[in-house]
Amino acid sequence: MRKISVKLKITLWITLLMTILFLFLVAFTLFISRTVVLSSARQQLISTTRNSVGNISFSQGKLSTTEGFSFYQNGVSILVYSQAESLLAGQLPVSFTAKEPFQNGQVRTVEGASISYVVLDLWLPSSWEEGVWVRGLMEVPRNEQTTENLIKIAAIALPVFILLTAVGGYLLVRRAFRPLEQISATAQAMGEAKDLSRRIGLPPGRDEFSRLAQTFDQLFARLERSFEAEKQFTADASHELRTPVSIIKGACEYGLKCDETPEERQETLEMIARQAEKMAQLIGQLLSMTRLDQGTEGARLEPVDLGVLVEGLIRERGYEEDKLFLSVSPGVKVRGDGALLARLTENLVENALKYGKPGGHVWVTVKSQGEEGILEVRDDGIGIPKDQQEKIWQRFYQVDPSRSDESNGVGLGLSMVRQIAQLHGGTVTLDSVEGIGSAFALHLPLWKEEA
Ligand code: ADP
């Protein structure tokens, strides 16, 4: 049973149930037809026997009947018995051999030798103590022919019925299961062809299978997106690493082959150091990103005074004081991870300094507004063109790669900033005008004591 398909199992169940129902209906029809026959026989017996009693009289030991009275009417035999139960008039049917005691006014069914009878006795008194029994006796039609016919029809109809139920049931079940087959065929094809762009594509409906197919399609779409993003990320990361590696390789080969002057050698070594530094930074950032993706660093959320954190970081980094202006409101407490928030701040401040104009300024502000703690990093630098403002959050995206190149940028900083903000249940907004400057603001929910 375990090896057969669900479709076949359901079909078998349907067929079995329908067969039971069919047999039950046949039995029920037989029972009803017997009941109807019996009940009409009883009615006939009662009315005929009662009428007969009106046409029979017994007085002074003499039995008389009205003119034209017959002891056999409407299939009912009328028998008259003396008080001592000896037959006075009427013809007892041969097959009625039973010794049935007299019971006044009671209709009973009595089994004869091979036939059933319905019997009704009525006491016809002639005086206080004397009288006769009038017995009505009617053969109950056995309707054996009907029963036989019905059984014959059932015997022919049953196999046809079973066949039709099984085939019809199977077709219906197969039709109902088609979406499920489509789902599994699509999933299988996706696995075999490694093609994540396939979809089940069932027309929208309200039944369970349509909803399941839609859910799967959404899941496939998400899978495809994240798979593509992963592929892109790997490709970008390899590309970013390949560039400094080939520069270092080229420089080394040149240095080994050519007889360089001490100045040239110094220059080559400096270039190698710069590229190595860039690679180290990239690898470090990739590692942080992977950790962030895995969420391992996001677990330690505790109350953090944003002002104290930012102030400490800026003092520690020793940024030029005439370039960077800090304004901190006291007691802006948020729920967060100190290390991650420090990295976010550093990324924003470094960017503001990196993409500033010569002699430009950076303003860092920590304040609270309503239910939010805000960290704003504003500069009067080169700004970001409107059409690029959405793209800068993507991994490896750089507005002007040549400019970032000078400063070891790889285009991962802002995507990390956004990820850290989201991990804290916050958002980062950007307000920037090309040539005028940019303002990045982190909004985090304030720490509540009871929380
Ligand atoms: P990068 O390593 O290149 O700095 P980021 O992800 O930090 O990467 O930034 C992405 C891009 O956004 C940068 O290449 C730069 O073009 C632009 N950008 C970021 N911050 C600023 C800023 N304060 N002013 C102007 N442009 C910025």
Side-chain angles (χ1 to χ4, degrees), residues 218-260:
Q218 285 162 5
L219 178 74
F220 293 155
R222 268 206 304 278
L223 265 179
E224 189 187 9
R225 276 201 302 275
S226 69
F227 188 70
E228 284 304 317
E230 204 70 25
K231 239 168 57 185
Q232 186 64 40
F233 181 71
T234 316
D236 289 343
S238 334
H239 174 79
E240 290 299 325
L241 279 171
R242 204 177 313 133
T243 314
V245 168
S246 36
I247 296 175
I248 291 173
K249 211 170 142 229
C252 290
E253 280 166 4
Y254 180 79
L256 286 171
K257 265 194 221 140
C258 310
D259 208 4
E260 287 182 319

Side-chain angles (χ1 to χ4, degrees), residues 182-442:
Q182 242 168 299
I183 293 172
S184 83
T186 311
Q188 198 177 350
M190 281 170 91
E192 280 167 7
K194 295 196 169 54
D195 177 9
L196 286 177
S197 65
R198 292 194 189 215
R199 296 290 175 270
I200 303 159
L202 279 187
R206 304 184 101 228
D207 60 298
E208 291 83 351
F209 283 136
S210 298
R211 268 183 281 145
L212 183 69
Q214 276 169 29
T215 314
F216 267 109
D217 273 348
Q218 285 162 5
L219 178 74
F220 293 155
R222 268 206 304 278
L223 265 179
E224 189 187 9
R225 276 201 302 275
S226 69
F227 188 70
E228 284 304 317
E230 204 70 25
K231 239 168 57 185
Q232 186 64 40
F233 181 71
T234 316
D236 289 343
S238 334
H239 174 79
E240 290 299 325
L241 279 171
R242 204 177 313 133
T243 314
V245 168
S246 36
I247 296 175
I248 291 173
K249 211 170 142 229
C252 290
E253 280 166 4
Y254 180 79
L256 286 171
K257 265 194 221 140
C258 310
D259 208 4
E260 287 182 319
T261 59
E263 290 78 39
E264 279 173 340
R265 181 155 299 168
Q266 176 70 21
E267 224 171 86
T268 308
L269 284 175
E270 275 171 8
M271 180 166 57
I272 291 174
R274 261 202 319 277
Q275 293 305 324
E277 172 61 22
K278 185 168 177 168
M279 277 171 67
Q281 269 212 6
L282 178 61
I283 291 167
Q285 282 194 334
L286 285 176
L287 261 176
S288 313
M289 255 188 151
T290 315
R291 282 200 205 115
L292 257 182
D293 279 346
Q294 289 170 347
T296 47
E297 285 187 315
R300 299 184 308 271
L301 297 186
E302 48 200 15
V304 174
D305 189 317
L306 202 56
V308 173
L309 179 128
V310 171
E311 216 168 1
L313 179 94
I314 285 175
R315 208 177 308 119
E316 194 184 296
R317 293 286 183 274
Y319 297 118
E320 292 167 51
E321 277 183 13
D322 56 338
K323 253 190 146 182
L324 198 143
F325 304 97
L326 183 63
S327 150
V328 168
S329 308
V332 180
K333 260 196 190 166
V334 294
R335 194 171 126 85
D337 178 306
L340 287 179
L341 288 177
R343 183 175 310 149
L344 177 148
T345 313
E346 200 176 346
N347 276 345
L348 289 181
V349 174
E350 296 276 343
N351 274 355
L353 292 168
K354 240 178 357 187
Y355 303 107
K357 289 179 194 148
H361 306 88
V362 174
W363 294 271
V364 178
T365 313
V366 176
K367 60 185 178 187
S368 62
Q369 204 170 65
E371 300 280 284
E372 284 184 334
I374 296 173
L375 160 68
E376 190 195 63
V377 179
R378 195 155 52 84
D379 62 64
D380 52 1
I382 59 171
I384 303 164
K386 266 258 165 308
D387 60 329
Q388 313 266 333
Q389 289 184 7
E390 259 312 300
K391 297 183 187 155
I392 52 164
W393 306 98
Q394 293 168 12
R395 289 176 177 182
F396 295 108
Y397 189 83
Q398 296 179 309
V399 176
D400 177 7
S402 64
R403 178 159 183 143
S404 322
D405 235 28
E406 300 159 16
S407 50
N408 287 331
V410 287
L412 285 176
L414 285 181
S415 83
M416 223 179 323
V417 164
R418 180 173 265 187
Q419 209 173 346
I420 293 172
Q422 283 168 353
L423 213 110
H424 284 78
T427 51
V428 204
T429 56
L430 165 65
D431 183 13
S432 178
V433 180
E434 200 179 357
I436 305 274
S438 311
F440 287 87
L442 165 74

Side-chain angles (χ1 to χ4, degrees), residues 27-335:
F28 186 69
T29 313
L30 282 174
F31 172 75
I32 288 289
S33 80
R34 178 88 187 137
T35 313
V36 167
V37 166
L38 199 65
S39 134
S40 77
R42 288 165 83 100
Q43 289 301 324
Q44 184 90 313
L45 175 74
I46 293 170
S47 67
T48 311
T49 315
R50 281 202 178 138
N51 278 343
S52 302
V53 168
N55 294 321
I56 298 171
S57 57
F58 182 74
S59 76
Q60 290 160 1
K62 252 185 87 106
L63 182 75
S64 58
T65 57
T66 53
E67 218 177 290
F69 176 78
S70 167
F71 282 93
Y72 184 79
Q73 328 168 13
N74 309 323
V76 179
S77 304
I78 300 295
L79 307 159
V80 183
Y81 287 86
S82 69
Q83 211 161 352
E85 299 186 5
S86 59
L87 185 63
L88 299 177
Q91 178 90 46
L92 189 68
V94 189
S95 58
F96 189 80
T97 51
K99 269 246 161 257
E100 177 64 20
F102 287 87
Q103 291 176 42
N104 191 18
Q106 293 264 326
V107 179
R108 292 98 69 201
T109 308
V110 177
E111 294 301 327
S114 57
I115 302 169
S116 304
Y117 288 91
V118 273
V119 180
L120 171 64
D121 302 325
L122 294 174
W123 174 247
L124 178 63
S126 57
S127 65
W128 266 114
E129 283 168 4
E130 286 193 326
V132 285
W133 284 107
V134 177
R135 168 169 280 183
L137 198 63
M138 187 184 188
E139 200 179 302
V140 181
R142 272 240 177 227
N143 62 345
E144 263 155 3
Q145 196 58 41
T146 323
T147 312
E148 208 174 297
N149 285 345
L150 199 68
I151 289 175
K152 266 189 203 158
I153 294 171
I156 299 169
L158 188 64
V160 178
F161 179 79
I162 290 178
L163 193 75
L164 281 179
T165 313
V167 173
Y170 185 76
L171 290 177
L172 268 178
V173 173
R174 199 176 67 168
R175 202 184 144 92
F177 271 63
R178 199 168 294 153
L180 206 62
E181 271 172 11
Q182 242 168 299
I183 293 172
S184 83
T186 311
Q188 198 177 350
M190 281 170 91
E192 280 167 7
K194 295 196 169 54
D195 177 9
L196 286 177
S197 65
R198 292 194 189 215
R199 296 290 175 270
I200 303 159
L202 279 187
R206 304 184 101 228
D207 60 298
E208 291 83 351
F209 283 136
S210 298
R211 268 183 281 145
L212 183 69
Q214 276 169 29
T215 314
F216 267 109
D217 273 348
Q218 285 162 5
L219 178 74
F220 293 155
R222 268 206 304 278
L223 265 179
E224 189 187 9
R225 276 201 302 275
S226 69
F227 188 70
E228 284 304 317
E230 204 70 25
K231 239 168 57 185
Q232 186 64 40
F233 181 71
T234 316
D236 289 343
S238 334
H239 174 79
E240 290 299 325
L241 279 171
R242 204 177 313 133
T243 314
V245 168
S246 36
I247 296 175
I248 291 173
K249 211 170 142 229
C252 290
E253 280 166 4
Y254 180 79
L256 286 171
K257 265 194 221 140
C258 310
D259 208 4
E260 287 182 319
T261 59
E263 290 78 39
E264 279 173 340
R265 181 155 299 168
Q266 176 70 21
E267 224 171 86
T268 308
L269 284 175
E270 275 171 8
M271 180 166 57
I272 291 174
R274 261 202 319 277
Q275 293 305 324
E277 172 61 22
K278 185 168 177 168
M279 277 171 67
Q281 269 212 6
L282 178 61
I283 291 167
Q285 282 194 334
L286 285 176
L287 261 176
S288 313
M289 255 188 151
T290 315
R291 282 200 205 115
L292 257 182
D293 279 346
Q294 289 170 347
T296 47
E297 285 187 315
R300 299 184 308 271
L301 297 186
E302 48 200 15
V304 174
D305 189 317
L306 202 56
V308 173
L309 179 128
V310 171
E311 216 168 1
L313 179 94
I314 285 175
R315 208 177 308 119
E316 194 184 296
R317 293 286 183 274
Y319 297 118
E320 292 167 51
E321 277 183 13
D322 56 338
K323 253 190 146 182
L324 198 143
F325 304 97
L326 183 63
S327 150
V328 168
S329 308
V332 180
K333 260 196 190 166
V334 294
R335 194 171 126 85

